[in-house]
Amino acid sequence: MSPGAAWIVRRILAGEAQPVPDASLPQAVPLAWKTGTSYGYRDAWAVGLNARYLIGIWTGRPDGTPVVGQFGFASAVPLLNQVNNLLLARPAMSRGGLPSDPRPATVSQGTICWPGGQDLPAGDSNCRRRLASWLLDASQPPTLLLPGQESVRGIRFPVWRNEHGERVAADCPGARESQVEVWPLPLDPWLPASERRRARLGPASESCPPLQTQDTAPLVLSGIRDGR
């Protein structure tokens, strides 16, 4: 991992995902942490990194017996914060000062649009949310496709519409092509009605319908059972 990528990930894990001016960036990074919970609530982990120490917390039972309701955020993070506070309060920490963590030259601030993940001109209908973001090497990679959950086109659909705004086949009279970006399919049930895939693509024409409606969820095979 490059220094720039590591810097961005660390800031995200420290709760500083939104870019701020360099003058407002804490030079000593707050505690960056990540949790983990094993299957059956057998282990709860929290690993954190402050300006000087790497801290690992595990809670569980030595014999591996499950503890129902135990998970990283509830069980391990409180202990992680206590250990972090004790370490930061040590006299040696205050005497020596904390190492700074300046922004690498490869990291810059930018603006991106969701769901596509890249910047778009003002007023573009595919920019459903505009957010500030850290950029690595000034690149803006598009939103990645989810294997097995999206079609070949992913979240970007070429759509032809008639003069009434209805979707039509490409060879229909007066058809005009446009590109529509939709949210990833797993988010659809939690989106407002106006942001769901069916609404974003719009109604199909009855007189000259498109060859594929593209507004229904694809069939996904998750497994096979004998006798079914």
Side-chain angles (χ1 to χ4, degrees):
M1 181 181 290
S2 69
W7 188 90
I8 292 175
V9 171
R10 184 175 180 181
R11 292 285 173 170
I12 291 174
L13 294 178
E16 298 180 349
Q18 290 295 311
V20 296
D22 287 347
S24 302
L25 272 175
Q27 291 304 301
V29 186
L31 180 67
W33 53 274
K34 184 69 178 72
T35 63
T37 306
S38 66
Y39 177 78
Y41 300 104
R42 288 175 170 81
D43 307 277
W45 289 89
V47 177
L49 178 69
N50 65 22
R52 282 195 181 277
Y53 294 97
L54 175 65
I55 310 167
I57 301 293
W58 170 83
T59 62
R61 293 178 175 173
D63 61 356
T65 304
V67 181
V68 178
Q70 170 181 268
F71 54 97
F73 183 77
S75 303
V77 168
L79 295 175
L80 176 70
N81 287 324
Q82 291 181 39
V83 173
N84 179 61
N85 292 335
L86 289 172
L87 291 173
L88 293 178
R90 296 177 64 184
M93 293 284 280
S94 58
R95 286 197 304 267
L98 298 176
S100 61
D101 184 38
R103 177 176 60 84
T106 55
V107 176
S108 59
Q109 299 183 32
T111 303
I112 60 174
C113 289
W114 286 108
Q118 297 175 309
D119 193 18
L120 294 172
D124 193 305
S125 62
N126 285 320
C127 187
R128 312 308 293 177
R129 288 189 65 189
R130 193 178 297 273
L131 298 172
S133 175
W134 292 117
L135 304 180
L136 181 62
D137 296 323
S139 64
Q140 295 183 346
T143 300
L144 297 177
L145 303 184
L146 299 175
Q149 295 180 322
E150 300 288 353
S151 64
V152 176
R153 296 189 181 93
I155 64 171
R156 295 169 180 83
F157 290 88
V159 174
W160 287 264
R161 301 187 190 278
N162 60 19
E163 59 182 359
H164 304 295
E166 299 171 325
R167 283 183 294 124
V168 296
D171 57 353
C172 292
R176 300 186 304 274
E177 183 181 4
S178 62
Q179 187 89 356
V180 177
E181 294 185 0
V182 296
W183 295 93
L185 195 59
L187 297 179
D188 213 57
W190 288 273
L191 292 172
S194 60
E195 291 295 316
R196 293 178 183 172
R197 187 161 299 198
R198 182 185 294 270
R200 291 282 292 125
L201 294 175
S205 169
E206 295 183 359
S207 59
C208 190
L211 298 180
Q212 294 181 341
T213 59
Q214 301 174 334
D215 56 3
T216 57
L219 176 65
V220 177
L221 297 178
S222 59
I224 300 176
R225 295 183 181 180
D226 293 339
R228 296 189 180 184

